[in-house]
Amino acid sequence: MTNLKMKATLLFTAMPAYLLMTSLAVADSEQQAAIDHGAVQLSSEEIEALVVGNTVTAKAGEKVFNFHYGTDNVIAGELVGGGWSGTGYYGITDQDSVCLSMAQDKGRLRCMTIMKQDGAFRKYSATGELTFELLEVRTGNRL
């Protein structure tokens, strides 16, 4: 078993407890406000169709990034205009979230839900904070 697959296996066996503990933190959050205004959470299957094998352009604050979600669970990203790039691994849980860890995260795993509202897709952290707005999804590796 490769190191990446071993990490992914360990990651997803611990995921249900992690999601249960963090789901209570979403109550008064940006995510809850979005839900209150009609946002709908994507299912695991919808997340897979949206990101796997694609390059996603996403905005966080004033910064714009490109992320390629490889079919081998490897994620690569870059800041548009330069100044940052990185790789890591990702997985989609059965609890309708996508989790990732970039190399510089030193093993820390971040899980996010993706919400759709008025045709726009947004990622929210486990505590319900808006992390990224997805601007464009393109087929293949566009990095």
Side-chain angles (χ1 to χ4, degrees):
M1 183 179 287
T2 66
N3 192 23
L4 181 62
K5 287 187 181 194
M6 213 173 351
K7 285 181 181 177
T9 300
L10 291 172
L11 159 75
F12 296 112
T13 56
M15 195 55 52
Y18 170 77
L19 291 174
L20 178 62
M21 292 181 331
T22 59
S23 65
L24 300 175
V26 179
D28 294 320
S29 65
E30 292 172 299
Q31 183 176 3
Q32 186 58 53
I35 292 168
D36 293 345
H37 289 93
V40 177
Q41 183 173 337
L42 269 59
S43 69
S44 297
E45 291 78 16
E46 291 169 320
I47 294 170
E48 177 184 2
L50 182 67
V51 301
V52 175
N54 296 327
T55 300
V56 176
T57 301
K59 184 176 182 179
E62 296 301 314
K63 296 179 180 178
V64 176
F65 298 86
N66 288 313
F67 294 102
H68 177 255
Y69 292 81
T71 57
D72 56 359
N73 293 92
V74 173
I75 185 170
E78 65 183 11
L79 178 64
V80 172
W84 176 84
S85 65
T87 59
Y89 62 93
Y90 78 95
I92 300 168
T93 72
D94 288 338
Q95 290 81 25
D96 303 328
S97 62
V98 60
C99 301
L100 61 95
S101 180
M102 300 300 281
Q104 64 269 24
D105 291 334
K106 299 178 182 169
R108 182 175 62 97
L109 184 66
R110 292 177 281 145
C111 294
M112 294 162 271
T113 55
I114 302 178
M115 308 292 291
K116 182 178 182 180
Q117 181 179 7
D118 300 326
F121 296 96
R122 293 181 182 87
K123 282 185 174 181
Y124 293 88
S125 71
T127 59
E129 294 175 66
L130 177 62
T131 58
F132 288 100
E133 180 176 355
L134 282 58
L135 303 175
E136 182 179 17
V137 177
R138 295 171 287 159
T139 303
N141 186 347
R142 304 299 179 112
L143 298 183

